[in-house]
Amino acid sequence: KYKGSKKLTFKITAGNVLNLKTASITQNSVRLKWDMSNFVSGYRIYMYDYSKKKYVKLTDVKATNKVPHFTVNDLTPGKKYKFAVKAYLKQGSKTYWSPDYVSITVATDLKKPVISKVTSGKKQVTLKIDKVKYATGYVIYMSTSKNGEYKKVVTTTKTKYTVKKLKKNKKYYFKVKAYRKINGKKYYGNRSKSVSVRTTK
């Protein structure tokens, strides 16, 4: 039979954030969302500063009964960003934090490419694409009518490409979109305006 007392020490922490993902991405913004956590007071949002090699606080978001989210604005098109979220619990004058940063790496949408020059041949067309900042490569699409279905021709890392095996003296329409590859995932921008060209006789 035991008599006496025993001292127990407990470390209070908030649970790590779960299922952090992007709800939407534009050229200048990223909307983050994650699952609600029980028994937390709020969440702190961070953005990684690659020059300083550390996370920098953006803001705190209070916990509510809604799906937690935050939109980061004023970003650069096509640039890689890394965001992280930590949960916190306030009790009295003390704040308890989740042990880990839960992070996500994304790229904002690239700018629309511009097909700046088109040169036609008998059975081929050469396209010149203005370089898009941060782009890894480009996807070229072709159609036989301006508002028809555009089918993918090729994915290329070059800004100049010749589409061959076309019919002579025929009009073709082209569009292009840029992409950036990060950690094996491709992030695409929107398609360019269409350009038309007729192959020579």
Side-chain angles (χ1 to χ4, degrees):
K1 195 171 182 180
Y2 176 80
K3 289 185 178 181
S5 62
K6 185 177 182 180
K7 185 178 180 181
L8 299 175
T9 302
F10 297 93
K11 184 178 181 181
I12 301 174
T13 63
N16 284 329
V17 168
L18 299 174
N19 201 27
L20 175 63
K21 59 186 177 181
T22 57
S24 64
I25 300 175
T26 70
Q27 288 186 12
N28 304 110
S29 69
V30 172
R31 184 176 177 83
L32 304 168
K33 70 176 184 178
W34 55 95
D35 290 348
M36 287 186 290
S37 301
N38 294 324
F39 311 112
V40 300
S41 304
Y43 311 89
R44 179 160 291 182
I45 318 299
Y46 302 85
M47 184 165 70
Y48 192 76
D49 188 322
Y50 286 94
S51 62
K52 297 179 181 178
K53 296 183 179 180
K54 67 177 184 179
Y55 283 110
V56 176
K57 174 191 170 184
L58 294 179
T59 191
D60 288 337
V61 176
K62 289 184 178 180
T64 65
N65 58 355
K66 298 180 180 179
V67 176
H69 62 274
F70 182 74
T71 301
V72 188
N73 294 303
D74 301 321
L75 303 178
T76 301
K79 192 173 180 180
K80 182 176 79 169
Y81 291 93
K82 187 176 181 180
F83 302 102
V85 182
K86 271 191 170 187
Y88 64 85
L89 171 64
K90 284 190 174 183
Q91 291 200 341
S93 60
K94 292 187 177 182
T95 302
Y96 302 96
W97 294 91
S98 57
D100 301 315
Y101 290 99
V102 177
S103 65
I104 186 170
T105 301
V106 301
T108 46
D109 285 350
L110 293 152
K111 286 187 175 181
K112 280 186 181 181
V114 174
I115 302 174
S116 56
K117 187 177 180 182
V118 183
T119 307
S120 64
K122 185 176 285 189
K123 291 186 179 182
Q124 65 183 40
V125 170
T126 300
L127 305 174
K128 175 69 171 64
I129 306 164
D130 286 350
K131 184 176 176 62
V132 175
K133 192 174 183 179
Y134 301 118
T136 303
Y138 307 88
V139 185
I140 297 172
Y141 299 87
M142 183 178 71
S143 177
T144 53
S145 63
K146 184 176 182 179
N147 298 315
E149 181 185 0
Y150 283 79
K151 294 185 177 180
K152 177 182 171 182
V153 176
V154 70
T155 298
T156 178
T157 57
K158 299 177 180 179
T159 55
K160 187 176 181 180
Y161 188 84
T162 299
V163 184
K164 299 179 179 179
K165 297 181 180 180
L166 303 176
K167 293 181 180 180
K168 61 182 180 180
N169 193 30
K170 186 173 178 62
K171 196 171 187 179
Y172 291 92
Y173 296 81
F174 294 92
K175 290 184 179 182
V176 63
K177 68 180 179 183
Y179 71 90
R180 181 174 182 179
K181 194 172 183 179
I182 298 176
N183 298 333
K185 182 178 179 180
K186 288 181 179 179
Y187 294 85
Y188 293 91
N190 293 318
R191 294 186 187 187
S192 67
K193 292 181 178 180
S194 65
V195 296
S196 63
V197 61
R198 183 179 293 275
T199 51
T200 57
K201 296 180 179 178

